[in-house]
């Protein structure tokens, strides 16, 4: 690591302040921001509307963080999974998915994760560190550059707990959404959380138009506790209350993710209980057949069980979809590629 300024992580306001600090005119900030986030150059010499002297000054003081692709897997369905190496040699994974409504990129928010969900591969080696804003942006920029495809949706559902890296997350959203940047609509950004209540309250106050997805995975606290250690810290009923407050404040429909695990949370009784819990909430339920992870004992439910679960929710007028299993042939579930790469290399990354 060096001590150069991470210029890609700066908001427009921070860049303006930085220009003034190094004795430059304010308006240079907008030009440089556009080079970084709209045209996405990787060196200061490409910034042709600023002087050679300023280019040199920036090169001495600042770094443009870039990620290095170390592995790419392509599924039969077109899903592409990337493993990127960061400057300190940690690796993160990101996924490109193509849908009828546009292309979506799923990115990581941390190296590893400390939440310990029992079904998830990302959490097996624990949390290494938070990602920086530039490393979150870098995953989108790099996939856009490599694939040459337009990206219209971002889902922050890769490795890590985004609300555990809150300030970076908010800055990332503002930069990726900015007109002088990629200009991705907030409505096309989804943030998925395991349910850190005080941060849900905070994000409700940010006045964002994003979609918040809650990894609920259970109809009550006792089942949730067996799947997600976070349920010991945040009571189920209080989490549901926080979700109701979020909807009230933001007027945005909330998504509940529910990974179905055979014999654990997939029975008709669970579906009925969940319907009661969600009654009256402006929401949508996304059922996910659990992706089997070698180190974990969970198995996915049968097709019939999944359909029966969906039917119960729909009978109670809760909009429900079953997530399409994209990229199941390429370890596309959260953390699985990074995990297998780490095992191959037989070292901690
Ligand atoms: N920490 C955040 C975001 C990362 S996980 C969160 O908890 O929401 C993204 C989603 O994938 C979550 O809903 C998570 O519960 C789910 N997930 C992780 N591993 C999975 C697996 N093996 N099978 C199915 N869903 C999984």
């Amino acid at each position: 690591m060096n001590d150069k300024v991470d210029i890609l992580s700066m908001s427009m306001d921070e860049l303006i302040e930085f220009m003034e600090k190094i004795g430059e005119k304010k308006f240079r900030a907008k030009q440089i921001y556009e080079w970084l986030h709209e045209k996405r150059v990787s060196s200061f010499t490409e910034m042709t509307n600023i002087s050679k002297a300023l280019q040199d000054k920036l090169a001495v003081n600042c770094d443009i963080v870039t990620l290095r692709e170390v592995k790419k897997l392509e599924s039969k369905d077109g899903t592409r999974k990337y493993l990127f190496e960061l400057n300190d040699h940690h690796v993160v994974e990101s996924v490109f998915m193509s849908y009828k409504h546009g292309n979506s990129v799923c990115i990581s928010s941390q190296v590893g994760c400390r939440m310990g969900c029992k079904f998830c591969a990302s959490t097996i080696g624990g949390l290494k560190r938070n990602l920086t804003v530039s490393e979150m942006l870098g995953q989108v920029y790099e996939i856009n550059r490599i694939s040459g495809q337009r990206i219209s949706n971002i889902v922050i559902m890769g490795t890590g707990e985004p609300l555990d890296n809150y300030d970076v997350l908010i800055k990332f959203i503002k930069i990726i959404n900015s007109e002088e940047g990629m200009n991705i609509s907030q409505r096309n950004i989804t943030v998925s959380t395991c349910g850190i209540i005080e941060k849900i309250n905070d994000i409700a106050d940010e006045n964002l138009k994003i979609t918040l997805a809650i990894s609920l995975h259970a109809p009550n606290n006792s089942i949730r506790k067996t799947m997600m250690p976070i349920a010991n810290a945040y009571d189920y009923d209080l989490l549901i209350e926080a979700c109701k407050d979020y909807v009230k404040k933001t007027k945005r429909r909330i998504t509940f993710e529910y990974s179905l695990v055979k014999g654990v949370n997939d029975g008709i009784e669970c579906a009925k209980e969940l319907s009661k819990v969600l009654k009256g909430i402006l929401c949508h339920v996304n059922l996910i057949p659990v992706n089997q992870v070698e180190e974990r004992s969970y198995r996915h439910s049968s097709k019939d069980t999944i359909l029966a679960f969906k039917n119960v929710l729909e009978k109670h007028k809760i909009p429900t979809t079953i997530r399409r299993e994209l990229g199941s042939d390429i370890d596309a579930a959260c953390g699985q590629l990074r995990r297998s790469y780490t095992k191959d290399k037989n070292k901690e990354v």
Side-chain angles (χ1 to χ4, degrees):
M1 284 304 248
N2 58 42
D3 49 14
K4 284 187 176 182
V5 171
D6 175 9
I7 195 167
L8 206 64
S9 284
M10 284 186 182
S11 65
M12 183 73 88
D13 286 346
E14 285 169 339
L15 202 51
I16 290 171
E17 210 176 289
F18 180 67
M19 284 299 125
E20 287 181 318
K21 201 175 110 193
I22 63 168
E24 297 292 334
K25 294 263 183 337
K26 265 181 168 179
F27 77 92
R28 293 285 176 209
K30 187 167 184 278
Q31 291 177 319
I32 294 165
Y33 187 98
E34 282 171 355
W35 283 112
L36 293 172
H37 299 286
E38 193 191 340
K39 303 183 191 84
R40 294 192 288 284
V41 297
S42 56
S43 71
F44 295 103
T45 48
E46 293 165 75
M47 301 183 175
T48 48
N49 60 355
I50 64 172
S51 69
K52 174 83 174 61
L54 179 53
Q55 287 177 7
D56 290 346
K57 185 150 84 176
L58 291 172
V60 169
N61 292 299
C62 309
D63 243 355
I64 303 175
V65 170
T66 47
L67 310 187
R68 196 171 65 83
E69 180 194 321
V70 287
K71 198 163 178 173
K72 182 171 105 180
L73 295 176
E74 188 152 1
S75 161
K76 290 194 282 276
D77 61 32
T79 301
R80 275 170 242 152
K81 184 127 192 178
Y82 297 90
L83 205 59
F84 292 116
E85 187 176 37
L86 312 174
N87 283 339
D88 61 1
H89 306 300
H90 280 308
V91 291
V92 290
E93 57 183 68
S94 326
V95 191
F96 172 91
M97 291 161 289
S98 191
Y99 293 96
K100 266 191 249 111
H101 63 263
N103 296 323
S104 195
V105 168
C106 172
I107 62 165
S108 296
S109 56
Q110 297 181 313
V111 181
C113 183
R114 65 192 181 110
M115 297 302 156
C117 298
K118 292 287 191 298
F119 43 81
C120 179
S122 286
T123 200
I124 291 171
L127 174 69
K128 300 299 175 198
R129 68 170 174 84
N130 279 331
L131 292 185
T132 60
V133 177
S134 56
E135 289 166 340
M136 288 185 69
L137 290 167
Q139 297 171 63
V140 184
Y141 294 177
E142 212 34 37
I143 289 183
N144 177 243
R145 193 185 63 76
I146 300 167
S147 69
Q149 307 238 35
R150 213 184 107 80
I151 292 163
S152 51
N153 294 269
I154 310 275
V155 294
I156 304 161
M157 262 188 208
T159 296
E161 169 49 49
L163 298 190
D164 196 28
N165 189 12
Y166 187 85
D167 294 341
V168 164
L169 170 76
I170 300 299
K171 225 158 127 187
F172 165 81
I173 292 172
K174 291 191 172 158
I175 294 177
I176 204 98
N177 169 239
S178 63
E179 257 176 52
E180 302 86 353
M182 245 190 167
N183 203 2
I184 292 185
S185 161
Q186 286 188 15
R187 289 173 196 281
N188 294 351
I189 299 175
T190 299
V191 173
S192 177
T193 176
C194 63
I196 300 173
I197 292 181
E198 66 268 13
K199 299 293 178 191
I200 294 174
N201 296 336
D202 287 347
I203 208 164
D205 287 329
E206 300 277 356
N207 201 16
L208 298 171
K209 301 274 177 279
I210 59 161
T211 297
L212 187 66
I214 308 286
S215 298
L216 194 59
H217 303 324
N220 59 46
N221 221 23
S222 56
I223 295 180
R224 196 164 193 260
K225 271 185 188 171
T226 68
M227 304 173 74
M228 306 173 76
I230 189 79
N232 293 300
Y234 297 102
D235 176 71
Y236 190 89
D237 295 338
L238 294 178
L239 173 60
I240 298 296
E241 278 313 305
C243 292
K244 286 181 182 165
D245 289 346
Y246 177 89
V247 171
K248 209 164 151 195
K249 219 173 233 173
T250 61
K251 316 260 184 311
R252 307 274 310 151
R253 176 192 299 262
I254 213 162
T255 296
F256 290 104
E257 292 157 278
Y258 196 104
S259 294
L260 287 156
V261 183
K262 190 175 180 178
V264 173
N265 65 352
D266 65 347
I268 291 294
E269 284 314 310
C270 286
K272 286 183 181 161
E273 198 177 348
L274 183 66
S275 305
K276 269 197 198 138
V277 169
L278 302 184
K279 188 170 184 242
I281 306 180
L282 178 64
C283 73
H284 161 252
V285 173
N286 200 199
L287 297 174
I288 314 164
V290 83
N291 233 305
Q292 295 176 187
V293 175
E294 197 185 300
E295 290 88 343
R296 307 298 206 196
S297 59
Y298 286 158
R299 294 291 164 258
H300 61 67
S301 314
S302 71
K303 238 189 195 139
D304 287 349
T305 306
I306 298 174
L307 286 175
F309 199 96
K310 181 173 187 268
N311 276 341
V312 172
L313 292 178
E314 285 179 339
K315 234 189 239 155
H316 288 85
K317 310 231 170 350
I318 298 169
T320 306
T321 48
I322 299 171
R323 182 175 298 170
R324 244 191 334 140
E325 284 182 276
L326 287 178
S328 52
D329 51 334
I330 56 158
D331 283 353
C334 192
Q336 290 198 71
L337 177 61
R338 176 172 167 269
R339 181 80 197 133
S340 55
Y341 180 82
T342 313
K343 278 201 299 192
D344 283 354
K345 289 209 133 185
N346 200 20
K347 62 170 191 187
E348 280 289 301
V349 284

